[in-house]
Amino acid sequence: MQLIECPWCGPREETEFHYGGEAHVPYPPDPQALTDEQWAHYVFFRANTKGLFAERWSHSAGCRRWFNAIRDTITYRFHAVYRIDEQRPTLP
């Protein structure tokens, strides 16, 4: 079992968390002006990067707060965890 570091609660078992998709996807400034195809790209299309990837996670069985994490999609290892209101950390 892997431990995931919640920014508020500390390390907890991975079964307490839920994946929330790619992090830092900006909401369209004027969603009413988007075509159906543009809206579909915003809702469904994601980078699906191999390697380090910024993601959103929820501590659903704990404090129920959302946070961001940088995780390696190959090894599943978490490299950084940070709150939604914090800047994405730069990794070496």
Side-chain angles (χ1 to χ4, degrees), residues 56-70:
R56 296 174 0 143
W57 285 82
S58 170
H59 190 183
S60 54
C63 64
R64 302 181 61 83
R65 292 183 182 180
W66 285 92
F67 62 92
N68 291 328
I70 298 177

Side-chain angles (χ1 to χ4, degrees), residues 29-85:
D30 186 11
Q32 299 293 332
L34 298 180
T35 66
D36 288 344
E37 183 177 351
Q38 290 169 324
W39 184 252
H41 276 274
Y42 166 73
V43 173
F44 299 111
F45 286 65
R46 295 295 179 254
N48 198 18
T49 302
K50 183 177 182 180
L52 295 180
F53 189 58
E55 304 170 326
R56 296 174 0 143
W57 285 82
S58 170
H59 190 183
S60 54
C63 64
R64 302 181 61 83
R65 292 183 182 180
W66 285 92
F67 62 92
N68 291 328
I70 298 177
R71 183 178 65 89
D72 189 326
T73 59
I74 299 169
T75 64
Y76 201 71
R77 181 173 172 255
F78 284 76
H79 290 265
V81 173
Y82 54 104
R83 296 183 341 208
I84 297 287
D85 59 346

